[in-house]
Amino acid sequence: MKKILSLFLLQAFLASMIFGQEKPTAYINARIIPIAGAPIEQGILLIQNGKITAVGDARSVRLSSDVQIVDLKGKTIMPGLVDTHSHIGEGSGADGSSPIQPDIRLLDSLNVRASSLQRAQAGGITTVNVMPGSGHLNSGQTLYIKLRDGANKIDDLLIYDKDGKYMGGIKFANGTNSIRAGGGNFPGTRAKSAALIREQFVKAAEYRRKIQAAGGDASKLPPRDLAMESLTEVLDGKRVVHFHTHRHDDILTVLRLKQEFGFKVVLQHVSEAWKVADEIAKAKVPSSIILIDSPGGKLETMDISMTNGAALEKAGALVGFHTDDYITDSRFFLRSAGLSVRYGMSREKALYGMTLAGAIMLDMQDRVGSLEAGKDADFIVLSGDPLSVYTQVLQTFVEGKKVFDRNDSSDYLIATGGWGASNDREIHIDCFDGDIIGGEK
Amino acid sequence: MKNGKWKIKNFFGLLLLLLMVYCLPLTAYGQIAVKGETVWTMAGEPIQNGIVLVGADGKIEAVGTASSVKIPANYKQISAKIVTPGLVDAHSVIGLAGYLNQPHDQMQYDASSPIQPELRAIDAYNAEEKLIEWVRQHGVTTIHTGHAPLALVSGQTMIAKTFGKNIDEVTLMPTAMIAVTLGQAALVQQGRSPGTRAKQASMLRAELVRAGNYKGEPRDLKMEMWRKVLNREIPLLVTAQKAQDIMTALRIAKEFNIKIVLDGAAESYLVLDEIKASGFPVIIHPTMFRAGGETDNLSMTTAAKLKKAGIPIALQSGYESYVPKTRVVLFEAAIAAANGLSFRDALATITIDAAKIIGMDSRIGSLEKGKDGDIAMYDGDPFEYTTHCTGTIINGKIVSEVVR
């Protein structure tokens, strides 16, 4: 009886959360880097119901009488970071049965309790493109998630577009990762890789033509084909291609495929971007780069350079960043911007790359990536300048809710590591008298 | 006709040789004055507006303030905002492990047998490996490198300067330690040994017992190495991440009265008192090492915790099977400095304290009269992401001027 009552109260509470108006909260006195516009000293970030309602200073932002004030004197606020390529959450993609599997959804595999998701929160990341691996020409559909707190199921992390569909892209790869000598139906060469991808897009174009020809008449539709449906979304520009590519010639192959089939594409890794920066810029294709502490590790990345960001910026291309977590740890994501500035990128473009550029690459620039009225209240509080090694992420907010606080002992453990930091998150169901379900400690 | 061509070639060769001989004094070691807005000597307080003089022999002649050190007229002068000792990487595998990560450049691990102390690092070291240039360009002048932590006893380690064309030119110490690994990374599957932790300890103890009975005839390369260990001439570099493996290392060290250096030590913060009591130093895993498997519980604060407990520590670039093929100790110390270690203590983990742990502090690790002229220069706080290494000097010779 007690439990039923608790459940009822919980429902009532949730309903009031959803339908009621939250009191506005003003974060004041911080240095605000809104990305959209110049930094604001002693700025005010005003949020309500998970959205930003105003950004400015004491002269431009009016505070109502019921506002809750949070003084962040000496701190820095910037938008939550957008990681355009990550493998957090222990997700999986295609299996070894074939090199191209567009029907596979990462959605069906993510562990929402994985500690890696918490590490990303500790790194100031709020929006992530979680991808399957690069061992296939196509390893399946990627998933865009918000790092909301306390997720119990994948639905709790999804982001929905205007049509009510959860958002995600699709992962392609070229170069050596997907080449398997004597690998059966897997490609053995680069030319074969391109041919196999082209073959599938030609098929998809035909499938799409049949659907269009049916004109909504169900009897004329081609038989449902999950892989073709996915690639049709790609051809319609509704599903962005995230193309793993390292070497300069492989990068140009991606641009050639984009030219032929007209899909929207983000170049991922782009290790030799500095060699073909002008071509990338001319094709108006965005690049998501990664900073690795030394060159090599495999033949394709022997010429990777920390100057990629600077070279692409100079060429006029859009540059974002990614962790490729587990390759680099999400907690060091801001370091990518710092190192890129070390190697010639402008401070402004580096911070833009960590936020709004990433949002653009995920078609989410209307909702995240900058601090502007109307956007999601996804922001981070830093102890100092975002490009300094000594700066800590103090707090991370997703849609107005604090999801990481360095002052909280369990969050601190995630931020620095230590005993138990890699364990799955514990799940507390509050109304069940403190029962702990799942997790271990 | 053929002969004539050869003669002409030979003539040009001679000319080239003469030219080289003529140019030699210009590139000779030493006779260099390094001026720094701040000079972190790591022997006493940092000096503001300091000067480090390196003589013609490549050794440091004088260190002091601009007013106290007179620069001889014929000395080349070079300036930097921050000057530190050349950095010391206390544990690496580069030179054996190459950046291409292809079979031909991966010489850090031979899988034929789990116990091979006779494998010498000097027989595999490639002084021209790209990764050595890479770390040199970030200020690293000395590396303790060798066989990887992938077998119970994978082989020997060596100490080398990061500039020079061949092994004889670069080697400071041909056999520094023997690389021993306890735990998951050194377990062998499919019915071979060691298949368990207890078996690892047993096999290592058996080797040391056998070495105790070894009389020198007939010659046995393995036993010769173990004798040196038993005689406390060289330490074991014991990579152990889990607390139980650290305790096993301490137990075996005590049983045979041998010297060890603990390495990795992800869970060392759980057994601080025991490590402290043993007196052995710890070369801690890279601060940005990935948490996973046996390093699930690693922490960025371990360096600070061990330092506070009074345990001698250094940081390392370590071993990576994939990317980054090498880490850079400068970056790893930076993250330690951001997680509880003071600036000076963090710098010490990659200079003087690292030199002490690898037994080279009489020559390197600090800027002091009589030590090697190994110097790193930076245009700001060396740990900041946006600071550049502006130059590196080894034995008084400028070996990198790339701005990184």
Side-chain angles (χ1 to χ4, degrees), chain A residues 371-388:
Chain A
L371 301 178
E372 294 177 86
K375 281 197 167 181
D376 293 355
D378 296 356
F379 62 98
I380 55 178
V381 180
L382 304 173
S383 62
D385 187 87
L387 299 183
S388 171

Side-chain angles (χ1 to χ4, degrees), chain A residues 186-249:
Chain A
F186 276 72
T189 64
R190 288 182 149 87
K192 179 76 174 184
S193 300
L196 288 173
I197 292 171
R198 292 180 65 224
E199 188 181 30
Q200 289 305 308
F201 273 117
V202 166
K203 264 179 72 181
E206 179 60 18
Y207 185 80
R208 182 169 174 248
R209 197 191 56 74
K210 282 181 186 163
I211 289 177
Q212 284 169 345
D217 181 346
S219 67
K220 291 179 182 164
L221 282 174
R224 267 194 84 182
D225 181 322
L226 295 177
M228 287 300 120
E229 278 180 9
S230 171
L231 290 182
T232 298
E233 288 173 353
V234 173
L235 291 174
D236 286 340
K238 289 178 179 167
R239 186 175 289 283
V240 174
V241 171
H242 295 282
F243 218 124
H244 157 115
T245 184
H246 287 296
R247 230 168 63 175
H248 62 98
D249 50 335

Side-chain angles (χ1 to χ4, degrees), chain A residues 57-136:
Chain A
D57 58 20
R59 282 166 300 176
S60 61
V61 179
R62 278 193 54 195
L63 301 178
S64 56
S65 57
D66 64 339
V67 69
Q68 301 180 70
I69 303 272
V70 180
D71 192 343
L72 293 174
K73 190 174 165 56
K75 308 293 190 284
T76 297
I77 295 178
M78 67 178 285
L81 309 180
V82 180
D83 185 352
T84 43
H85 180 163
S86 178
H87 301 289
I88 55 173
E90 302 156 7
S92 58
D95 67 4
S97 61
S98 81
I100 300 180
Q101 303 186 36
D103 47 323
I104 299 295
R105 304 182 301 190
L106 185 121
L107 168 86
D108 297 317
S109 66
L110 198 90
N111 172 15
V112 299
R113 296 173 191 86
S115 60
S116 49
L117 269 65
Q118 291 179 277
R119 284 208 302 269
Q121 292 172 331
I125 297 166
T126 52
T127 302
V128 193
N129 174 25
V130 190
M131 304 246 261
S134 53
H136 298 68

Side-chain angles (χ1 to χ4, degrees), chain A residues 293-299 302 326-327 332 335 338 342-343 387-390 392 415-420 422, chain B residues 99 101-102 134 267 269 288 290-291 296-300 322-323 325-326 331 338 381 383-385 387-388 404:
Chain A
D293 282 18
S294 59
K298 58 179 178 177
L299 286 174
M302 60 189 282
Y326 190 73
I327 294 298
F332 302 121
R335 187 169 175 263
R342 183 191 197 117
Y343 281 84
L387 299 183
S388 171
V389 68
Y390 303 109
Q392 307 287 5
T416 62
W419 187 255
S422 296
Chain B
Y99 85 124
N101 212 8
Q102 299 298 302
W134 178 256
E267 292 181 3
Y269 57 83
M288 289 185 279
R290 297 179 183 96
D296 253 359
N297 297 315
L298 64 74
S299 168
M300 299 175 212
Y322 188 41
V323 294
K325 198 53 194 170
T326 188
F331 300 158
D381 177 343
F383 293 150
E384 281 290 11
Y385 296 142
T387 292
H388 307 92
R404 280 222 190 279

Side-chain angles (χ1 to χ4, degrees), chain B residues 198-225:
Chain B
K199 184 71 175 182
Q200 286 177 339
S202 165
M203 289 170 74
L204 186 58
R205 292 176 65 225
E207 282 292 289
L208 291 166
V209 166
R210 206 172 301 135
N213 298 327
Y214 175 65
K215 303 286 184 247
E217 290 294 336
R219 277 194 70 185
D220 181 321
L221 295 178
K222 285 187 206 295
M223 289 301 126
E224 285 179 4
M225 288 312 298

